[in-house]
Amino acid sequence: MPPSPTASSRALLARLDESAFTARHLKIYVTVLLGHFLCGFVINLTGVVLPGVIKTFHLTSESAGVFSSVLFAGMLVGAAVAGTVSDRFGRKVPLAVTIMVYAVFSLAAVFAPSFGALVTFRALQGIGLGAEIAVALPYIAEFVPSRHRGPLVTAATAAWLIGLPTAAAVGTAVVPVWGWRAMFAIATVPVLVGAVMLATLPESVRYLLRRGRVAAGTAIVDTLCRGTGTSAPAEHHEAPETRGSVRTLVGRRYLRYTIALWFMEVCAGAFLYGLSSWLPSVLEKQGVGLLKSFGYTAIITTAGVVGAILAGQLINRIGRRVVLGAGFVLSGLLCLVWGTTTAAGAVILLGSLATFFGSGLAGSTLFAYASELYPTASRATGLGWAAAWQKVGGLVMPALVGFVLAMHTTQFVFFLLFGVISVLAGLAALVATFETRGRTVEQITQEITGTPVAATRAMARS
């Protein structure tokens, strides 16, 4: 007698979770990673093109501020909506479409006839960018073997962070020669990546199984995990859901973890975007030359990339809760010390360490955690809402910093703000984080929801 669909599903998930990382895994991952890197690149075009945009359209400071903030507003909408769409219609097509959306509106921005049109295109581009983040990371979390999940999601976040210095480097070479519109022309390249995704990426096996498409899932696993066999399957049970729902995120079982996650995301967004927006200006006021302040900022933000790469190894060894809690708290304490010095060496060292622990270790771990916390039916919805709250921090913090600095307070207050929000985020992590280390995504759901787990359950290797 052939196995029941439920038994077949469990066997497929066991093979998927326990597989070696094959060449096919690598091709899929690199394709998604390239799209995620380009997402970070396009997001960080604002600072590169803004001087030229101001000159072309004769903008006031207020109008320039609108151009800077409208992208985040679009990203907030895209992140909140795309997750639910992906949970209902799959991962592959929404992921490819989100990338094509922000590429197409990059092309529109090249030919923007007015500032109003440019702002509109940038806002619509933001929807695609926010949506990509909400879909890409859950896709990675669902197809890679469990023991590789943390490192590969945090590495994807590192690739996204590399977009900041890359955009600055490309802009330095391109804008003086070709003008700011050339940067948006370069930002149309992702449309090719989206087309490759449509042609080559498989659908998420977990999504297919949730839809009852066992045969389709089997075909993908056979191609992806050759030679892994069909040994005794681990017991996996998915909470009965038919579509993504925000109600799951705020339901009784998840409410505590969701509130903590959203709070940490607001703080992480405030740290990342507030610091990148204001640090050059603050350093200049401390006596650092403008060109040096840009150089210092580049070094400091690059330290976050290093932290994101190392985070993947740490979270598999000591767990998400410790990395989140310690990363945020150490970053906050370093910010307080950072605000007491103006010596060049100390500014670079303390700033790099604060960013390494804050945006790097803690920030990337936060996205890994968000991509695995919720059940398959609501995973992209959960990641999307987490990303949306990060954008709330990105919208609020730059404005708050501007208000505080306008009051002619000491520069220490600037660093005090970042120190306080980081420490608060660390405390939230230590108090209300569910430890996901060493568990498959189904086992995480089982433990949070209280679904009975078979005594023979095979724990994922950490």
Side-chain angles (χ1 to χ4, degrees):
M1 175 182 289
S4 67
T6 300
S8 298
S9 298
R10 292 199 300 268
L12 285 176
L13 292 177
R15 290 180 63 195
L16 197 63
D17 288 329
E18 297 166 13
S19 169
F21 191 76
T22 65
R24 177 64 171 146
H25 281 107
L26 181 61
K27 290 178 182 177
I28 295 170
Y29 181 69
V30 169
T31 302
V32 178
L33 196 70
L34 180 58
H36 204 49
F37 160 74
L38 291 170
C39 176
F41 176 87
V42 176
I43 287 172
N44 288 292
L45 289 183
T46 299
V48 177
V49 303
L50 186 57
V53 171
I54 291 173
K55 183 177 180 180
T56 298
F57 297 110
H58 309 290
L59 302 184
T60 63
S61 297
E62 290 78 8
S63 296
V66 170
F67 179 74
S68 299
S69 62
V70 71
L71 179 73
F72 294 110
M75 290 179 67
L76 192 157
V77 173
V81 173
T84 301
V85 171
S86 175
D87 281 331
R88 296 187 184 186
F89 300 106
R91 309 288 191 239
K92 171 184 174 178
V93 174
L95 177 58
V97 169
T98 61
I99 291 175
M100 290 180 171
V101 165
Y102 71 73
V104 166
F105 284 110
S106 292
L107 180 62
V110 174
F111 302 102
S114 65
F115 178 64
L118 181 62
V119 167
T120 301
F121 296 148
R122 193 63 169 154
L124 293 171
Q125 190 179 54
I127 293 175
L129 292 165
E132 190 275 345
I133 295 171
V135 183
L137 299 183
Y139 182 85
I140 292 172
E142 288 180 3
F143 88 85
V144 299
S146 287
R147 63 183 175 277
H148 296 291
R149 187 178 67 238
L152 291 179
V153 172
T154 55
T157 303
W160 185 90
L161 288 171
I162 292 173
L164 174 59
T166 302
V170 173
T172 300
V174 170
V175 173
V177 178
W178 302 101
W180 61 268
R181 294 180 188 269
M183 292 300 294
F184 284 112
I186 293 172
T188 63
V189 170
V191 75
L192 301 177
V193 178
V196 170
M197 287 180 172
L198 283 177
T200 66
L201 289 188
E203 182 54 86
S204 164
V205 173
R206 286 181 160 90
Y207 171 80
L208 293 173
L209 295 181
R210 187 167 60 84
R211 292 291 181 177
R213 297 170 59 185
V214 178
T218 300
I220 292 172
V221 172
D222 286 344
T223 302
L224 195 62
C225 311
R226 287 177 180 152
T228 56
T230 55
S231 56
E235 291 291 328
H236 294 290
H237 300 276
E238 184 72 61
E241 282 189 276
T242 58
R243 60 183 183 178
S245 172
V246 179
R247 291 183 181 180
T248 300
L249 314 185
V250 296
R252 181 172 60 89
R253 300 285 189 179
Y254 284 96
L255 182 60
R256 172 190 175 190
Y257 305 123
T258 295
I259 290 175
L261 174 62
W262 288 357
F263 177 74
M264 288 186 288
E265 287 286 7
V266 170
C267 294
F271 186 94
L272 175 63
Y273 298 116
L275 202 63
S276 63
S277 298
W278 281 103
L279 185 58
S281 299
V282 170
L283 291 178
E284 186 183 15
K285 289 182 180 179
Q286 285 186 322
V288 177
L290 182 60
L291 291 179
K292 282 188 177 181
S293 74
F294 284 134
Y296 289 180
T297 301
I299 295 171
I300 289 169
T301 53
T302 299
V305 177
V306 178
I309 294 171
L310 294 179
Q313 301 305 316
L314 285 177
I315 63 179
N316 266 9
R317 287 170 170 77
I318 63 177
R320 278 65 164 164
R321 179 187 291 115
V322 174
V323 174
L324 282 170
F328 277 128
V329 170
L330 287 172
S331 178
L333 296 178
L334 284 164
C335 281
L336 298 181
V337 181
W338 187 10
T340 64
T341 183
T342 57
V347 166
I348 294 175
L349 177 61
L350 290 169
S352 296
L353 288 173
T355 305
F356 172 87
F357 286 110
S359 298
L361 285 185
S364 61
T365 298
L366 195 57
F367 271 114
Y369 175 65
S371 69
E372 62 194 7
L373 179 64
Y374 300 106
T376 298
S378 298
R379 184 164 296 118
T381 299
L383 194 285
W385 276 85
W389 281 104
Q390 187 198 58
K391 301 309 173 290
V392 170
L395 282 167
V396 172
M397 191 63 171
L400 177 61
V401 170
F403 175 77
V404 170
L405 294 180
M407 297 172 64
H408 304 292
T409 58
T410 64
Q411 300 301 308
F412 176 75
V413 176
F414 170 83
F415 297 97
L416 177 64
L417 285 174
F418 290 98
V420 169
I421 63 172
S422 293
V423 170
L424 290 176
L427 294 176
L430 294 172
V431 171
T433 297
F434 179 85
E435 183 52 67
T436 59
R437 182 176 70 93
R439 296 165 171 83
T440 68
V441 289
E442 284 75 30
Q443 289 161 357
I444 295 167
T445 300
Q446 290 169 347
E447 294 188 28
I448 293 177
T449 61
T451 303
V453 182
T456 58
R457 181 183 61 186
M459 292 295 286
R461 292 187 295 272
S462 59

